Amino acid sequence: MNKLAIPLLIFCLFFILTTFLAYFYAIGGEQRFLSFNLHRILKLLDLREENTLATWFSSVLFLVTGLSFMLLGWGQGQFFTISTFTRRIFQMSAIGACYLSADEMASIHETFGHWLARIVNSEVGAPIDTHGFSWVLLFAPVGIFMLLWLATLLYRLIAQMPIDQARNQAKFALLGALIFLPGVFALEMIQAYLAYVKLGSNIFPCFEEMFEVFGMYGLFLTTTTISTHYQL
């Protein structure tokens, strides 16, 4: 599975690039290239859009990350010794990543955000959000806590590896995940504020998608590097 690392990184960079191109293209006005409608093409490759080729790739990225956690959760190796509790955490992480893969296509978290906003509005009379950002209020603390917990378990496995290129790669990838994934929540909150003040279109969603893609790729690279070392 580690052989997917380079092709997956290329696709990550490609879709991040097309997402930023789609944003700047929208500012510059509609254009055509060799009689092709660039607006339509870039929309299909825009990670900010729903039900597109880019969304499908993002869903695949979450799925392969979940599969890589399955190697740690269910894998067996001669030198791979972890507690039953740690194994359960990795198994739950695999299932959680697969759920997030489905969420990428179905936008479940945004639907939950709209539902939470309606509940608060009806009970308190305060329209806290009309754009679906309310999910961050509940999921961000839980998500960051789980990420830190998971990172601790992963780092323990990395620390047992011999000091070589693979160990450094795993540590760097894990650090990237710890930087980018919490950044997704921060960028969501910024967008919520900008939506509240009705600022309009902005570039922050592009950075949010970039952080999400790089963060999940970091987890994928960490787990596959570990599993390759322990021959799972």
Side-chain angles (χ1 to χ4, degrees):
M1 199 165 187
N2 201 35
K3 294 180 179 179
L4 288 175
I6 298 301
L8 203 59
L9 177 60
I10 293 174
F11 278 112
C12 287
L13 294 173
F14 172 76
F15 282 106
I16 289 171
L17 175 62
T18 54
T19 298
F20 277 95
L21 285 175
Y23 171 76
F24 288 110
Y25 169 80
I27 296 178
E30 186 167 334
Q31 304 174 27
R32 286 185 174 271
F33 176 73
L34 298 178
S35 300
F36 291 101
N37 188 334
L38 282 178
H39 174 73
R40 175 58 179 165
I41 295 174
L42 289 176
K43 188 173 182 179
L44 289 173
L45 305 176
D46 190 345
L47 290 166
R48 300 171 299 167
E49 298 289 339
E50 303 294 338
N51 302 317
T52 64
L53 184 61
T55 309
W56 170 80
F57 167 75
S58 183
S59 178
V60 169
L61 179 60
F62 277 97
L63 180 61
V64 296
T65 302
L67 295 177
S68 68
F69 271 107
M70 287 183 180
L71 296 175
L72 300 181
W74 282 275
Q76 301 290 336
Q78 182 179 358
F79 302 103
F80 186 66
T81 304
I82 58 176
S83 67
T84 301
F85 179 75
T86 299
R87 189 175 292 277
R88 294 290 181 266
I89 295 298
F90 288 146
Q91 291 172 354
M92 290 173 57
S93 300
I95 295 172
C98 290
Y99 161 77
L100 291 175
S101 174
D103 182 84
E104 278 296 290
M105 295 299 296
S107 300
I108 301 172
H109 65 287
E110 292 179 357
T111 301
F112 181 84
H114 287 295
W115 172 82
L116 179 60
R118 288 196 300 269
I119 294 297
V120 174
N121 185 31
S122 62
E123 297 295 330
V124 183
I128 61 170
D129 173 30
T130 57
H131 300 275
F133 292 109
S134 300
W135 66 271
V136 181
L137 300 176
L138 290 180
F139 291 151
V142 176
I144 293 175
F145 173 77
M146 293 300 296
L147 176 63
L148 292 175
W149 191 3
L150 184 61
T152 301
L153 299 177
L154 290 172
Y155 185 78
R156 290 175 182 173
L157 292 174
I158 295 172
Q160 298 174 22
M161 297 168 58
I163 301 177
D164 57 8
Q165 183 178 358
R167 178 178 175 178
N168 293 332
Q169 176 178 280
K171 289 173 65 175
F172 181 76
L174 182 59
L175 177 62
L178 286 172
I179 293 174
F180 286 114
L181 291 178
V184 173
F185 297 121
L187 289 168
E188 280 280 348
M189 295 303 294
I190 293 174
Q191 293 177 67
Y193 171 76
L194 295 179
Y196 177 76
V197 298
K198 297 180 172 57
L199 186 61
S201 176
N202 59 82
I203 199 171
F204 285 105
C206 298
F207 283 104
E208 180 205 337
E209 298 297 340
M210 181 184 73
F211 274 43
E212 182 178 288
V213 167
F214 278 154
M216 291 308 298
Y217 180 79
L219 283 182
F220 167 80
L221 189 59
T222 301
T223 52
T224 53
T225 302
I226 293 173
S227 62
T228 299
H229 169 75
Y230 287 101
Q231 299 180 349
L232 301 180

